[in-house]
Amino acid sequence: MILIADSGSTKTDWCIALNGMPIQRIGTKGLNPFFQSEEDIQRELTSILLPQLPEGELSAIYFYGAGCTPEKAPVIQRAIANSLPVTGTIKVNSDMLAVAHGLCGHEAGIACILGTGSNSCFYNGEEIVDNVSPLGFILGDEGSGAVLGKLLVGDILKNQLPSTLKEAFLRQFNLTGPDIIDRVYRQPFPNRFLASLSPFLAQHIEEPAIHSLVLNSFLAFLRRNVMQYNYKQYPVHFIGSIAYYYKEVLQEAIEQTDIRLGKILQSPMKGLIQYHQ
């Protein structure tokens, strides 16, 4: 029995697999060692995840997560070792490698994340050999939920959208201008807050100004990230809630380039189970 985790900034999807078949799925908060201490991560594992695990020991745990750089991965590894009943391997890798394994398997390709954050890489079928730094939602993360939310509230507060949309937005989320400023500049996890606002865009995607905002953000992601790889030779795959729920606008952006589209999936878990089988 093995446990596989796919952790983003917002949530972690855990899957228990036996003989290559998923037998249980569990959801917890996102676990990111850049933003959370080892103690905080261990508390989430012991209080939320552990009580939901089936009886018995795990032969291996494969954790893929945002913020799991070589320097930070040991934080997750220690928290898991001190919290969960595992007898064998504990491997902690980046969320980018989860995407590569889940989308490409053992084939070469360009793998992209469009979720709360965004990222991309070139994967040669065995390992990631090139990665354009995403730089986070302040300097980069084009096309992500956090950046779409950031662009949305910027346009809302600077009166760049029709007044009816502004009023609908503030009413739907029960927010004021000062509330937004406080959440972005003074409260923890502003990226999660901004990403939580992005569904408003999907609800109003037929509005020309909204459609243009989303399309231009996707084009920025493709031009500033994907087009730095050998995108004419290899397929470009996408994963994440933003890629999945805005797939028609994403496809529109791709049609404006010479990019060869591969898969668009919501989660890499099915591919990860196959990979680790």
Side-chain angles (χ1 to χ4, degrees), residues 7 9 27 41 43 46 48 60 66 85 116 130 132 140 146 152 160 166 171 195 212 220 235 250 256 260 277:
S7 185
S9 297
I41 293 168
R43 192 177 304 115
T46 54
I48 305 300
T116 299
D130 196 6
V132 178
L152 172 62
Q160 298 301 296
K166 178 177 181 177
R171 184 170 57 252
S212 179
L250 177 59
Q256 296 186 26
R260 189 174 133 212
Q277 185 179 350

Side-chain angles (χ1 to χ4, degrees), residues 135-207:
L135 297 178
F137 76 101
I138 295 175
L139 298 178
D141 270 7
E142 301 87 359
S144 69
V147 166
L148 290 175
K150 180 178 73 170
L151 294 171
L152 172 62
V153 296
D155 281 358
I156 290 285
L157 297 179
K158 285 185 175 285
N159 302 310
Q160 298 301 296
L161 296 178
S163 59
T164 52
L165 276 180
K166 178 177 181 177
E167 291 165 7
F169 172 84
L170 296 175
R171 184 170 57 252
Q172 178 173 329
F173 292 100
N174 193 27
L175 289 169
T176 64
D179 290 337
I180 294 170
I181 298 300
D182 180 69
R183 292 293 302 272
V184 170
Y185 289 102
R186 300 187 184 94
Q187 300 298 319
F189 302 113
N191 58 329
R192 292 184 186 176
F193 165 69
L194 291 168
S196 75
L197 305 177
S198 63
F200 184 84
L201 296 167
Q203 295 162 14
H204 300 274
I205 199 66
E206 300 305 321
E207 291 280 348

Side-chain angles (χ1 to χ4, degrees), residues 25 36-37 48 52 68-69 71-72 77 83-84 141 145 148 170 184 198 210 231 234:
R25 298 283 284 265
Q36 294 160 282
S37 68
I48 305 300
Q52 300 185 67
C68 291
T69 62
E71 296 78 20
K72 290 291 186 178
Q77 194 161 17
S83 305
L84 304 180
D141 270 7
L148 290 175
L170 296 175
V184 170
S198 63
I210 296 292
Y231 66 94
Y234 295 96

